[in-house]
């Protein structure tokens, strides 16, 4: 993909399902409150992180381009 991504988790939506942790091992972690956090808020674009965002049951994972903030996931409608 070649881009850099900014990865965020909306803690008000996160239910701690850990789908992101399973789909993108090493890219997300759960804290003591069972809420997800990206390990690196800015990272190289990759399919596992995109799969984690798509697999989140409450769409709490958001991906954008660091320069300009253009959304990658969820896409603008």
């Amino acid at each position: 993909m070649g881009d850099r991504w900014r990865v965020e988790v909306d803690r008000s939506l996160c239910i701690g399902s850990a789908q992101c942790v399973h789909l993108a091992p090493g890219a997300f972690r759960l804290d003591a409150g069972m809420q997800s956090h990206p390990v690196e808020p800015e990272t190289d674009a990759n399919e596992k992180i995109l799969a984690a965002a798509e697999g989140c049951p409450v769409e709490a994972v958001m991906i954008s381009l660091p320069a300009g903030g253009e959304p990658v996931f969820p896409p603008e409608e």
Side-chain angles (χ1 to χ4, degrees):
M1 291 185 173
D3 289 326
R4 295 283 293 168
W5 284 347
R6 178 174 310 283
V7 181
E8 300 175 75
V9 176
D10 184 336
R11 294 184 59 149
S12 70
L13 295 176
C14 181
I15 60 171
S17 72
Q19 288 300 305
C20 56
V21 175
H22 295 294
L23 293 169
F28 295 90
R29 64 179 170 78
L30 295 181
D31 64 16
M34 294 301 293
Q35 293 214 302
S36 177
H37 299 272
V39 171
E40 295 291 330
E42 192 171 312
T43 187
D44 289 331
N46 74 63
E47 292 295 327
K48 288 185 179 185
I49 291 175
L50 182 58
E54 292 172 338
C56 178
V58 294
E59 291 188 357
V61 179
M62 297 160 290
I63 303 169
S64 61
L65 299 178
E70 181 181 335
V72 174
F73 187 87
E76 286 186 328
E77 295 189 32

